[in-house]
Amino acid sequence: MLQGDHMGMTLTVLDLDTENLGYFGHCAKHAFHLQQCAKCDLLHYPPTTTCPFCGNPEQTWTPVEGRGTVYSYAEVHHAIQPGFKGHTPYMVLLVELDTQKGKPTEHDALRVVGNFVTPDGEMAPPEMVKTIGIGSRMRMVFRDVSEGLSLPMWTLDEAADQPATPWRYAQE
Amino acid sequence: MSLDSVSEIDTTTPRTLRDRYAIVGVGETPYVRGAGRTTRSLATLAIGNAMRDAGLEAGDIDGMLSYSMNDSTPAPFIAGDLGIRLNFYMDCYGGGSSTEALIGMATGVIAAGMCKTVAVFRAMNGFSQVRIGGTGARSAIPTVGDDLHSRAYGWQSAGQMFAPTFLRHMYEFGTTPEQVAMVKVIHSEHASRNPKALYPKPVTVDEVLNSRMICKPLHLLDCCVETDNATCVIVTSADRAKDCRNPPALIRSVVGRVCKPRIDMHYQRGPITTVAGHYGKDILWPNAGLGPEDVDVTGSYDAFTFTTMLQLEDYGFCRKGEGGQYVSDGTMRLGGRRPNNTSGGHLCEGYTHGMNMVIENVRQIRGEVDDDCPIGPDGKRQHTYDYGHNGRCRQVKDVNVTANLGWAHPGTGSAMIMARA
């Protein structure tokens, strides 16, 4: 069992949860892997028991580049969990990976969840939150929670061309 | 009411059930914050009210269906308190799409001959005990499984979870904050004519946009009001409905709990601005034998302002992306072409997990909405149909067909068409 305290919550990966054990096992090494179907070759996210595209249970963990574009987001000003209250406003990003974009159909993609963080994995401060939106280019970083448990997060991709004005909700 | 042959039934097109079943009783407890009662007590009161409304006694009811999110009391206990012996019951776990789905289930079990009259209820101390928003009793649960990819990121409440869908809609279609706020404005106007509403005060667009930001694009006033209450609707056959006290609301069509692909993470597949109603409409309308243009009153699941627009679009009341326009052009206002949530809905009347919009539409079909119009010599309200600024009426004139659009989240939806006999 993997366990650790993160933002005032206890995160637990149960021993019988083999899919999440596999996923977080790679994350602990700061490597992003997704399940790839042995039959149809499609990757999928988050970890599941069978391929959601063809139902085949045989899957292999495949390294995937942690780069993509903000597809949409939530910007939380009123936190629910006590541990997040000191970090508002914080962003939950849905980042559409470059990998497998538009497959199996044009509107499908791997859209990976993560908070917007600084390059060293800390929650992005309020002034930084205002700088990104839909269209921003992001790269994955890992935030260590405990021995053997790390969470994928998103930070600005400094090397990428950024949109002049990423789309943000009208009211700041 | 027996079907000639089970094999006639195509599970995706149960048109054979059209108008054969009806809602004959509706009841609720007051919409309050701090009921001071158990869910067991609330449920017995609401069901008792619905039984009186239908003119039914304990011996007439033999089926019971309820839904909860581990925050209610199971049906057999409630039945016992009311002196009801059940031939069929089911308590399921489920969100706001359960309302119409369980009403559909009631028609199915009656059609199957498993029972004859079903009370569908939802009881919740949604403010004082378990809050759907995730605070209170539910806040201390461990973070395991799928929650490791959501809750771990501070992404757990309904408003937080739906926000990417809403923002993407604004990005793709240019939906404005003012259009979204207008949903609350309209529902608050409706609630101001509802003596039972928890929030009966009309609000303006500016008041919505100036209220505290909760999670973009949702301000405080974009969110529904967590409430303590119980609600009940009673379903029986159209034949038995003739013996009940009030005119029936015939069940023309139900689509129950349709889901998008990848329900675990529905934004993995397809445009995330499309919600489950997009799939549900292809069952709902053919089975009803009519279309959106035939509907007089709608009931949307307004957990948030934005959910109303998404449902109206995907069920085909307007084109995809034009929900904002539908709201701002007055279509869903009292006096407009197709009023929505005439009681004020979840945003203003109270949050009942989907039930109160069905109750309201049953009353609309009967022509007996409880507003501030004068009572006539026959003891019934004499509706003025004055929807102007100082009007006190919320009864829509000549309601023949209503639509209820259930929602649990963007990936799950159910719906029901009701009609006057």
Side-chain angles (χ1 to χ4, degrees):
Chain A
M1 189 169 77
L2 299 171
Q3 203 161 49
D5 286 327
H6 171 67
M7 305 284 281
M9 291 180 292
T10 302
L11 310 186
T12 305
V13 187
L14 299 168
D15 285 339
L16 49 75
D17 188 355
T18 52
E19 295 79 17
N20 274 311
L21 275 180
Y23 177 84
F24 285 107
H26 291 290
C27 291
K29 299 172 194 151
H30 289 205
F32 189 59
H33 284 57
L34 291 177
Q35 291 161 307
Q36 184 168 28
C37 177
K39 190 171 165 191
C40 73
D41 282 341
L42 286 167
L43 298 153
H44 63 269
Y45 167 89
T48 65
T49 53
T50 65
C51 171
F53 303 110
C54 76
N56 177 47
E58 291 164 36
Q59 301 160 76
T60 53
W61 290 105
T62 302
V64 175
E65 188 189 36
R67 283 183 200 277
T69 307
V70 175
Y71 180 75
S72 197
Y73 65 93
E75 187 177 308
V76 181
H77 288 247
H78 173 87
I80 301 292
Q81 293 101 320
F84 279 84
K85 286 188 187 294
H87 296 279
T88 56
Y90 65 89
M91 287 176 101
V92 181
L93 304 178
L94 281 182
V95 173
E96 195 167 70
L97 301 186
D98 300 334
T99 305
Q100 207 175 285
K101 188 173 158 68
K103 291 179 186 168
T105 69
E106 63 170 318
H107 295 293
D108 299 328
L110 298 165
R111 297 172 188 139
V112 177
V113 179
N115 292 121
F116 177 32
V117 296
T118 63
D120 54 4
E122 295 301 318
M123 297 293 274
E127 62 275 12
M128 193 185 266
V129 160
K130 288 183 179 169
T131 64
I132 71 158
I134 293 176
S136 293
R137 292 286 302 167
M138 311 302 288
R139 68 176 174 89
M140 187 177 284
V141 292
F142 289 88
R143 181 179 165 125
D144 294 332
V145 172
S146 64
E147 188 64 37
L149 186 58
S150 301
L151 286 177
M153 295 284 183
W154 293 107
T155 195
L156 203 64
D157 187 350
E158 305 87 343
D161 287 339
Q162 296 292 345
T165 48
W167 186 93
R168 286 181 55 75
Y169 176 69
Q171 262 187 307
E172 285 297 354
Chain B
M1 186 63 63
S2 65
L3 294 163
D4 294 340
S5 159
V6 172
S7 64
E8 289 178 9
I9 300 176
D10 173 346
T11 53
T12 59
T13 54
R15 289 170 215 185
T16 47
L17 302 186
R18 187 190 298 171
D19 290 351
R20 291 193 178 189
Y21 300 89
I23 294 178
V24 293
V26 293
E28 71 258 84
T29 61
Y31 302 116
V32 294
R33 304 191 103 179
R37 296 174 174 276
T38 60
T39 55
R40 182 167 177 161
S41 170
L42 289 169
T44 55
L45 287 169
I47 297 167
N49 289 340
M51 286 162 65
R52 271 185 293 282
D53 180 64
L56 294 173
E57 294 174 355
D60 299 318
I61 293 176
D62 64 344
M64 207 171 266
L65 299 170
S66 89
Y67 61 101
S68 80
M69 291 171 76
N70 299 336
D71 57 359
S72 180
T73 306
F77 297 93
I78 309 293
D81 285 0
L82 289 162
I84 293 169
R85 197 197 64 75
L86 296 172
N87 287 321
F88 185 93
Y89 73 90
M90 183 68 69
D91 297 289
C92 77
Y93 181 93
S97 64
S98 307
T99 310
E100 295 80 3
L102 288 192
I103 291 167
M105 189 173 174
T107 65
V109 295
I110 300 170
M114 297 172 87
C115 59
K116 61 182 190 297
T117 301
V118 179
V120 178
F121 76 88
R122 174 70 170 110
M124 59 200 297
N125 276 316
F127 175 76
S128 62
Q129 284 192 295
V130 182
R131 298 181 68 163
I132 298 278
T135 53
R138 217 194 295 281
S139 61
I141 55 172
T143 302
V144 297
D146 285 349
D147 284 349
L148 294 163
H149 309 284
S150 52
R151 198 164 183 264
Y153 296 100
W155 196 38
Q156 81 170 61
S157 72
Q160 293 166 359
M161 293 297 288
F162 304 169
T165 295
F166 302 156
L167 290 178
R168 185 77 190 183
H169 192 279
M170 294 179 122
Y171 166 80
E172 285 189 12
F173 302 113
T175 314
T176 66
E178 290 76 14
Q179 288 173 324
V180 181
M182 188 54 86
V183 176
K184 170 73 174 189
V185 172
I186 292 169
H187 291 186
S188 73
E189 286 170 2
H190 298 175
S192 73
R193 298 145 191 259
N194 177 3
K196 291 178 180 168
L198 193 54
Y199 285 172
K201 184 176 165 287
V203 299
T204 64
V205 166
D206 282 344
E207 282 173 320
V208 177
L209 297 183
N210 291 326
S211 66
R212 192 159 53 89
M213 185 61 80
I214 301 298
C215 177
K216 287 183 181 180
L218 304 171
H219 311 74
L220 183 66
L221 295 185
D222 286 295
C223 305
C224 67
V225 46
E226 289 170 309
T227 310
D228 295 344
N229 64 80
T231 42
C232 174
V233 302
I234 296 174
V235 180
T236 193
S237 67
D239 277 356
R240 285 198 194 85
K242 291 169 186 157
D243 301 326
C244 291
R245 200 166 67 89
N246 278 301
L250 296 174
I251 298 167
R252 186 146 289 183
S253 169
V254 176
V255 50
R257 275 194 169 174
V258 171
C259 71
K260 285 181 72 174
R262 297 296 309 276
I263 189 67
D264 54 340
M265 293 240 173
H266 58 86
Y267 41 81
Q268 291 298 312
R269 304 248 18 224
I272 65 171
T273 54
T274 294
V275 298
H278 169 77
Y279 300 92
K281 72 175 187 304
D282 296 334
I283 302 172
L284 184 75
W285 300 121
N287 290 356
L290 44 76
E293 65 282 357
D294 301 306
V295 174
D296 302 309
V297 178
T298 54
S300 71
Y301 192 93
D302 56 342
F304 305 98
T305 44
F306 220 121
T307 58
T308 291
M309 298 189 312
L310 295 173
Q311 292 164 75
L312 290 167
E313 286 177 7
D314 279 339
Y315 282 102
F317 290 97
C318 58
R319 285 207 294 267
K320 190 68 198 167
E322 293 181 1
Q325 177 66 27
Y326 187 95
V327 173
S328 52
D329 71 11
T331 303
M332 58 178 252
R333 228 184 191 124
L334 275 169
R337 164 72 188 84
R338 194 178 298 109
N340 183 68
N341 288 15
T342 51
S343 72
H346 285 346
L347 286 169
C348 302
E349 185 180 37
Y351 182 70
T352 66
H353 227 171
M355 294 283 282
N356 51 332
M357 285 78 79
V358 171
I359 291 173
E360 176 74 359
N361 284 355
V362 169
R363 290 176 177 149
Q364 284 284 358
I365 284 170
R366 291 178 185 174
E368 290 186 0
V369 162
D370 189 19
D371 52 22
D372 295 328
C373 292
I375 306 269
D378 60 354
K380 294 195 169 181
R381 290 207 184 273
Q382 296 180 312
H383 290 290
T384 60
Y385 307 110
D386 177 1
Y387 311 122
H389 190 61
N390 294 316
R392 303 306 307 146
C393 184
R394 75 171 207 273
Q395 175 66 51
V396 179
K397 211 167 188 169
D398 300 325
V399 177
N400 289 305
V401 179
T402 66
N404 279 95
L405 314 175
W407 159 293
H409 69 70
T412 313
S414 57
M416 172 172 65
I417 305 297
M418 293 188 290
R420 189 157 60 168

